[in-house]
Amino acid sequence: MEAAPKPGSGAHVKGQGKKQKPRRYWEGGNDEAHPLPDKGSKRKWEERPQPKDAQVPKKPKQIREPRPKQKQELSSKQTQKVLRSKQTQKVLRPKQNLKDCNSDQKQELKPNQTLSGAQDPFPGPAPVSENAVNKFRRGGSKFVTKQPLKLVTKDKLKVAASEEEETSVRAARAELLLSEEPGFLEGEDGEDTATIHQSDIVEAVDIASAAKHFDLNLHQFGPYRLNYSRTGRHLALGGRRGHVATFDWITKKLMCEINVMEAVRDIRFLHTETLFAVAQKRWLHIYDNQGIELHCVRRCDRVTRLEFLPFHFLLATASETGFLTYLDVSVGKIVASLMARAGRLDVMTQNPHNAVIHLGHSNGTVSLWCPAMKEPVVKILCHRGGVRAVAVDSSGTYMATSGLDHQVKIFDLRGKYQPLTARALPQGAGHLAFSQRGLLAGGMGDVVTIWRGQGQGGFPSLDQPYLTHRPHGHIHSLQFCPFEDVLGAGHSRGFTSILVPGAGEPNFDGLESNPYRSRKQRQEWEVKALMEKIPAELIGLDPRNLGEIDVISLEQKKKERVERLGFDPEAKAPFQPKQKKKGRSSTANLVKRKIKVKDQEHREQVRQSLQQQQQQQKKLQTSQSTGPPPSALDRFKR
Amino acid sequence: DISLLPSGSLLALSHLGKAVDSLKDFPQSASEDEEAIDGERNHQKLLEKIGYLDGKNRLAERSEASLQVSEFSVSNEGTGEQLDLAELLGPIKSSSSMGTVKKQLKKVKNKKTVDLPLSKEERERISREAAYNKISQDMTKWDPVVLKNRRAAQLVFPLEQDGVLENCIGEVLGSWKARTPLEKEIFNLLHQNKQPLTDPLLTPVEKESLKAMSLEEAKQRRAELQKARALQSYYEARARREKKIKSKKFHKVLKKRNDKKILKNFEELRKVDPTSALEELAKMERARIQERMSLKHQNKGKWAKSKVIMAKYDLEARKAMQEQLLKNKELTQKLKVPSDSEHDEDAEEENGLIPDIVNEVQISTDGPNPWMQRNHGITTKTPPIQKEPLSSEESELEEDEKANEEEEALLQELIERRSLRKGSEVDQAPRRTEETEEVLAELRTLSEQINKKAKKRQDGEQSVNSSSAVSKEPSIQREEQPSLDERPERVQTMEALDTLGLDEAVQEQKVLEPEQEHRPSKQKSPLKKKKEPMAALHTIISGKTHQANPLSAPIVVEEEDCDEDATQRQIIKEAFAGDDVIADFQKDKLEAEKASKPKEIDLSLPGWGQWGGPGLVISARKRRRFLVKAPKGSARKDQCLPNVVISEKRNIQAAAHQVNVLPFPFTHQGQFEETIKVPVGATWNTQRAFQKLTAPRIVTRPGYIIEPIKEKDVESSPSHWAHQPYRGKARLHGYSPPPPKERSIKESPITHQLITHTPPLLPPQKKKKNLATMSTGDEASFWK
């Protein structure tokens, strides 16, 4: 859909490289797994640079706001084209199983002949670039084989390797289906993107996207907390003075709106949009999508912040009393209640990578918690003053914190926990939020600032803001909408939805979180998700731990077994000298022989280690010997 | 050893040797004593035989010195010396005739004395060993099969499946011939029409058409087809929807309309296509007949009877009854056949002949009461009225149209109401492009209207120009607007720019500027307003943004910013001077370190081995001696990270989920971890990969007997289970697997016997079976 050109300006629609006709329902070609969500009008974006001679001098900039986001199957011809063009890269062909090989042989016998007589112009499976495949590999092998392996072991390892290869090749192939590209915002020749106003963006994008920028003028019930559902389709608002509402924010269809007649501290959707939890003045309440109160959880009292861990079905609550409580919403049990010993807790976020809860404290530390541990797994000193806000990016690599010392810092969470960048802001940020693609939003007073990183996977650089916006009230909460280029800001005078090109992930997983899912699909997803629920005790810093052998208990078991048996069945038998005749087997002689063998073994070991050292030194020398050759006089150098 | 016995003369000689030996006092067993006499006789015979050894050459004269000389025999009795064979050989040295004997004797000489026969146990052991070797060698033929099955990713039982599908389809088709007469006939037909026989996918006609049709055309055609299909489905859906509507009124009106339409069509048809009109007429006639046959619209039905009772009091009921009767009349009315022109003329003539009044009367008598005929009369009247002047016709048509319009309006209303109801239920359906364009246009007009309103309002504000009025204004506005203001401002602002011009806008801004802090800027429009907040933002965001473009920003400003920064830092430092966060943290960290360190155990007992009492001091030496040092653990993870405390505690609950034994074939944990590295679930894999990874290791086909692997299969082709595609082909070429080799065991009866008599080994059949079952069932789980 193209926006109608303005009557007066003489603008013409340009850049139709990706022109898409609206889809009719009879136009097939969609995979069944992802039923067509919305006919047509949803998924277009336009490229409409303003003409240079337009009246507004500031405009010319390119804004692309891609709309999600559906797996599309390109026709085979297109794929061929795409892949042929990459022939400079090294290409891989997946290993074929036996049957495929046989069919290949057949092909050799009758080249390119099919039953219908038509010839396949591109026989065989399409090539895949190695870079794409490497992305899906699960890391190299950790162990090095010194001794020759058993045949059986070798077989198993070979099978595992081939499986990995095949799955990664398949995954790389399937990447073709991720057809949507992220949006971006570019200023024209050195123009600062931070100076671009929301209205400019709204003008430049298509109507559907423009409609995503809106204000809710709710001045009565005080500063608002907000939460988007996991699919990004629904929005829950909770006003300090008791106003609670949930609605489908894209169609603006209200689901429920109530006033709980009590202070509302926080609001959060549970696993689906049909349930949401509200932290009220005294207790935690759970409502359904019609606003009917389902539960009042009295064990979670005076809750200040809520976090929902979707894969574990845990609702984490931080309370004024200093408790961090995990509530399993699938069975309604409290899994763990941890005493943080750090006073009132009102800064909390979750690490989406490993479901660890981050709490910010008034003594400038951020503590990381998991329900199975009674003490914080990690405690990081971040600020001189108290911590005001914490946010963790979607890959779980970076943590942004802001403190009372007006600093915003970004920490590396990959083992070192060191600050990567820091920046002092005039007022300090009261709220922080990471987007799916790594944009960082900070709320300072009544200003929202968004920072962007350089390149994919990097942390946002705090030097230069990417966008700024000033809603009408003081910011009370911030969250990026998943799968949309939208930042939601709850403030004292309502709610503002801000367009941030390039914030959301353009391709969604239709089976995981589908913004267009029907009720039936949601129900099916719910069942599946419940079946795949991860036990709460598995939460830890490294989620890959589960794939490793528990070495400590392995050794413990071994030790116990040795104790039980009285000997080590796997140990190498010690040298036992043979009995010899004619007085040569005297005790002294036996001992001598034993020592001799022992010494020999020792010598062998020493020899080997020496060899290794020498090799290492050689390597070092070869690496170092880039400079001029050493002269004899070097020894007199000082 | 018996088996080593030579034959012929050598046998005799060796007998001789034996005899010689026996001449010595060879220890004789008891049984031999008893047979002494027999022995003597034998001895004699032997001697005779020796005598006749060579018929021609008689024994030479003997000249040995001996105590007893006999002409018949040689004896060493009395000499006390053993007879040596060499001595015996001496005399024959010269004679060449004894050459062969000599050779044989030499051989005998080289041979050592013959061993004793082995004991029974040993013999059995040896035979067992031989049998074991034989069988184990025999069993090796199973090895590749077993190994293969163990390694196979998936086994489908029964293993032997008919490989029909494996054969090339073309071959199968090629070899197939028509046999039955039906098949022959079909083939004949196919041949005649040049249809493909072996290649059934595309006929030549289709191929040609494929060639003829370009891609564009094909696409176009496809699009057309799609459109047609869509339209059809659309109409179907609509019909279904309308069918569902329960309103009787709606249906009644609809029906009427349809009837009218049909009639209209019929009229047209009569003019254009008389034949089809005839058909239509026939249809009508048929309907009439049916009506006459049935009692559907007469006052015989249940409903009609009830209405009759009601009719007395109820006007409506009476009306309904009358209507029904009218309908009956209408349907049973005999239709005029207008098909032929002659007929028409005839009719005209008739019309001309018979006065109108008569006709009218007829009608009146035939038809229902005139007052009952309201909208009706078209069907009855039109044929005769055709000749009437146009004006009257028109007027009637007009009437019709009016009625039509009324009905149409009614229908429209109904539909609208319905759609409205639907609209409230279902959320806004996404629209097509045409619709969106309309929407756009609407939006534009709407925005213009709003604009005008806003302008007016602003004008009003200007005139009032007081803060109180302004403060009231927004509240009113809020009331007016829905809670969600989606602001279609994009169009609005543009329009505003176009229409108002810059000056006005600026003026407005000037007016609005003071209000900005109080009021959210609803009508955000251009330039000045935009710049103003941006400037404010720049002041808020500290100097670093300025640093980004150093050319534009003056250096002085930077310095100022730096100063500001410094002062700010100073202020913050002062503010947090009281609580020393860092020192607290360090203390915490030290405590944590201490807590996690393993403690030393002091086992020294004060007063032990020395004088007790007050002022007791344990010597350093003693303390050192009884101190059990804690094992030096690995370094803390946060040793080099001053701002971090990482807990050293293990998550025991998570560890319960981990694997804590090294599974069988692995010797190192890394190897095992390697094999479970790839996740199996559908979340991380594509569908195909997921299916492959989770495919069951063993698949059994229901209803099939799973038999152990047969020996002949193994022997004929070891790669049988690989489903070789050319297996069938090989057969076609006359290849037949070699007949199974006769097992070598069966060749020699002895070994065969041995095998059957060896207890520790399993009989071959049983053993095989064992292996086969192992390869299928138990072993599978073992290898998992």
Side-chain angles (χ1 to χ4, degrees), chain B residues 23-24 65-69 74-82:
Chain B
L23 285 179
K24 304 190 306 179
S66 98
L67 291 178
Q68 287 179 354
V69 181
V74 184
S75 76
N76 58 353
E77 221 169 82
T79 56
E81 289 174 359
Q82 273 198 331

Side-chain angles (χ1 to χ4, degrees), chain B residues 159 350 390 411 414 456 492 544 564 766:
Chain B
L159 284 170
E350 272 178 38
L390 273 168
L411 256 177
L414 273 169
K456 271 180 195 170
Q492 182 186 337
K544 286 191 183 177
E564 273 177 27
K766 201 174 175 189

Side-chain angles (χ1 to χ4, degrees), chain A residues 6 24 115 155 215 426 464, chain B residues 199 432 485 487 494 540:
Chain A
K6 259 190 306 173
R24 310 288 183 174
L115 200 63
D155 273 353
D215 276 315
Q464 177 108 27
Chain B
D199 191 2
R432 315 264 162 74
D485 52 348
R487 47 166 105 180
M494 304 272 263
I540 289 162

